[in-house]
Structures are given as structure tokens and as C-alpha cells.
Amino acid sequence: MLQIERVFGEVLGYTGPAGGSADYTLRRESLVQVDGKVADAALGKFSTDDATTLFRVAVEGKGPTDPLDLPFKNRKKSAVDQALGYAVNFPCDWYLVTNLNELRLYHKGHDQFTFERFETKVVATDDDAFRRFAFLLGAPRVVLADGTCHL
């Protein structure tokens, strides 16, 4: 979970409920359940009094040895399939899957072979790749003030 907070909080500008504001944009361990599991996080517009709950992106995080497209160890679904289930049930149109080596952005209206991919090593060393990553996934563009999403 610390990696989610670092990438989405420190790098992309999302805020959590402990940030001192009544409104926030990163909700960890969100409450939608699919097959007894919950999404690791969600991006959207939320409030500490639950007056605002707009899910924009479901986030599923795995460890660096976990393949994203295949079930791993005792799991019945791949990380990509898990995240799609969360996106359908939130409801939101977008879902992110990461294993720390890469982060993928999917749209639930497209097949699972169509996605934006960001490799961690490339984003960390290539200024153009980092700017593209921050532009596409940064909080100011994914969760606009009125709650809409540029994606």
C-alpha cells in the first residue's frame, strides 16, 4: 500500500482522507467486493462525510513477481480480470493494474488487449515518458474540480 500512496500521492497529486481536507481523491481499500475481495484503491471525488462518492478509476496493485495477465499462486483470476470486476461494480469506466514493474490503464468498454502501458524504469529515467505519465494520470486531470474525468 505504501507504493500506491507514493505513486498516486507524491507523484500524481492524489490526496487521501487524512490530508486535512473534507474532500479527497484517493480512497484505499474501497468497499466494493467482487468474489470476496476489495479493490486496493480507487481514484475519484470523495468526502470524509461520504456526501460525495464519485469513482473514476479502480486500482489493483500486485507484487513485482506477479504477472498481470495470468492468475498467480492460489488466485482464480488475473490482476487484470480482478480490476475489471471492480470497475464494473463501482461503477467507473477506467481501471489501473500494476505490479510495480509496470502500470496499465484500461477502459472497460474495450478488450483487455487495449491499454496504455507505463514501465516504471522508463518513467523514472525518461523525461518524456514521465511527462506523458503525469499528464495522463495526474489528479488534476483525472478528477477535475466538477468531478468529471478527462479520460
Side-chain angles (χ1 to χ4, degrees):
M1 282 305 161
L2 182 59
Q3 305 310 10
I4 285 178
E5 290 172 0
R6 282 191 176 153
V7 170
F8 290 96
E10 294 174 23
V11 176
L12 295 174
Y14 293 89
T15 58
S21 173
D23 297 318
Y24 61 100
T25 55
L26 173 64
R27 188 173 193 171
R28 290 186 35 196
E29 304 242 339
S30 292
L31 303 176
V32 70
Q33 282 198 12
V34 176
D35 297 331
K37 309 260 188 214
V38 294
D40 289 322
L43 307 176
K45 190 169 179 126
F46 312 107
S47 62
T48 54
D49 62 4
D50 288 331
T52 304
T53 303
L54 297 171
F55 293 100
R56 294 295 174 228
V57 182
V59 180
E60 181 62 20
K62 299 296 181 193
T65 61
D66 197 329
L68 298 178
D69 298 308
L70 301 169
F72 187 63
K73 293 189 178 178
N74 62 348
R75 276 190 238 114
K76 294 180 182 173
K77 292 183 176 183
S78 71
V80 173
D81 289 332
Q82 278 183 281
L84 174 58
Y86 301 138
V88 167
N89 286 291
F90 267 138
C92 59
D93 291 332
W94 299 91
Y95 56 106
L96 287 165
V97 183
T98 184
N99 62 4
L100 305 178
N101 298 312
E102 66 178 295
L103 185 144
R104 297 180 190 171
L105 173 66
Y106 292 86
H107 181 259
K108 74 179 182 188
H110 290 82
D111 62 50
Q112 292 181 341
F113 302 106
T114 305
F115 55 86
E116 288 291 328
R117 181 175 186 231
F118 300 94
E119 292 179 82
T120 303
K121 287 181 183 177
V122 175
V123 169
T125 59
D126 181 304
D127 287 343
D128 289 336
F130 177 78
R131 280 193 290 275
R132 182 175 165 268
F133 174 73
F135 179 79
L136 185 62
L137 298 177
R141 293 183 48 76
V142 173
V143 185
L144 298 169
D146 65 0
T148 60
C149 175
H150 85 101
L151 296 174

